[in-house]
Amino acid sequence: MNGYEIHGMDKIPEGPGLIVFYHGAFPLDYYYFVSRLYLRTGRFCCTVVDYHFSKIPGIKLFYNVEGLTHNGRRECADILKRGYLLGVLPGGTREALFSDENYDFLWGSRTGFAHVARDAKVPVIPIFTKNLREGYRTLGKIWPFKWLYERTRWPIVPIYGGFPVKFCTYIGDPIPYDPNISAGELAEKTKSAIKDLRDKYQEIPGSIQRALLERFEKHLEK
């Protein structure tokens, strides 16, 4: 649907690693990525998800089949120590709903993922997808939705889109395990690495029209 491409797959280490993404309104790029990773390499990538999803009746079986977890740092570190890749989107629901075509990072002071990488002594792999916000957008700028979320944590913000724009996922250089830097420093280093990918590949502000043209420009040239 999105003419999906991955650049830099060879940068994924052979052993375990923590894969860190920017969170779009709808993280379709992440689903594309883990599927393509499995098809190309046969490797399975587990995923950290929001705790609130665990409250959905009958979801436990789906968690087990898909390799999803919400059980905190210890379980995440155990997954990595068993040799798996683990994906995390630190911006979470807030970034999904309230970031926009400027691709701002809404991580706050979150450092849990960095603690996990340090505990498991694994590299962090920064990843960014071009045109992600042009595929799906939210109405998060309308103040009642933000007000409601801040007071209830209910993610009741309309999402629109499904536009067949061009998605290109760029994998950055792995950040190796370094026992001499703190979790806070590692979190900032990871954010900076993803921002560098954004600044290199994403024209800001994003444009749905431009992203659509990128999707079909090869066909138009013919």
Side-chain angles (χ1 to χ4, degrees), residues 98-129:
F98 303 112
S99 185
D100 57 21
E101 62 272 19
N102 292 307
Y103 291 84
D104 295 319
F105 287 66
L106 305 181
W107 292 14
S109 58
R110 292 183 176 180
T111 59
F113 71 94
H115 281 285
V116 168
R118 280 176 47 82
D119 292 346
K121 301 180 180 180
V122 299
V124 174
I125 302 97
I127 297 181
F128 178 82
T129 299

Side-chain angles (χ1 to χ4, degrees), residues 30-70:
Y30 182 77
Y31 306 142
Y32 283 156
F33 169 79
V34 295
S35 299
R36 190 69 61 84
L37 176 70
Y38 181 78
L39 290 172
R40 285 192 185 180
T41 69
R43 300 187 67 186
F44 188 69
C45 182
C46 299
T47 305
V48 180
V49 296
D50 193 303
Y51 166 76
H52 291 89
F53 288 121
S54 67
K55 299 179 181 179
I56 300 174
I59 199 69
K60 186 175 181 180
L61 177 61
F62 182 72
Y63 269 40
N64 293 337
V65 171
E66 295 295 327
L68 309 180
T69 180
H70 68 271

Side-chain angles (χ1 to χ4, degrees), residues 38-200:
Y38 181 78
L39 290 172
R40 285 192 185 180
T41 69
R43 300 187 67 186
F44 188 69
C45 182
C46 299
T47 305
V48 180
V49 296
D50 193 303
Y51 166 76
H52 291 89
F53 288 121
S54 67
K55 299 179 181 179
I56 300 174
I59 199 69
K60 186 175 181 180
L61 177 61
F62 182 72
Y63 269 40
N64 293 337
V65 171
E66 295 295 327
L68 309 180
T69 180
H70 68 271
N71 289 332
R73 285 167 47 182
R74 179 175 295 180
E75 181 172 320
C76 290
D78 286 344
I79 289 170
L80 291 165
K81 289 175 181 178
R82 294 200 302 268
Y84 289 101
L85 294 168
L86 179 66
V88 61
L89 295 78
T93 302
R94 182 182 299 278
E95 189 168 88
L97 299 180
F98 303 112
S99 185
D100 57 21
E101 62 272 19
N102 292 307
Y103 291 84
D104 295 319
F105 287 66
L106 305 181
W107 292 14
S109 58
R110 292 183 176 180
T111 59
F113 71 94
H115 281 285
V116 168
R118 280 176 47 82
D119 292 346
K121 301 180 180 180
V122 299
V124 174
I125 302 97
I127 297 181
F128 178 82
T129 299
K130 179 182 178 182
N131 293 331
L132 182 58
R133 284 278 165 183
E134 283 57 72
Y136 292 87
R137 289 187 176 174
T138 76
L139 299 181
K141 290 182 178 180
I142 300 177
W143 74 265
F145 296 125
K146 183 70 176 295
W147 180 88
L148 182 64
Y149 176 79
E150 294 296 351
R151 283 155 181 77
T152 67
R153 290 299 184 266
W154 294 349
I156 304 176
V157 177
I159 297 175
Y160 66 95
F163 303 115
V165 301
K166 182 72 172 181
F167 283 172
C168 293
T169 291
Y170 295 94
I171 302 172
D173 294 326
I175 302 170
Y177 167 69
D178 183 351
N180 297 315
I181 65 173
S182 68
E185 291 170 326
L186 179 57
E188 283 301 317
K189 196 170 184 179
T190 303
K191 184 189 293 186
S192 294
I194 301 177
K195 283 184 176 180
D196 288 344
L197 292 171
R198 177 199 64 185
D199 295 344
K200 182 176 182 179

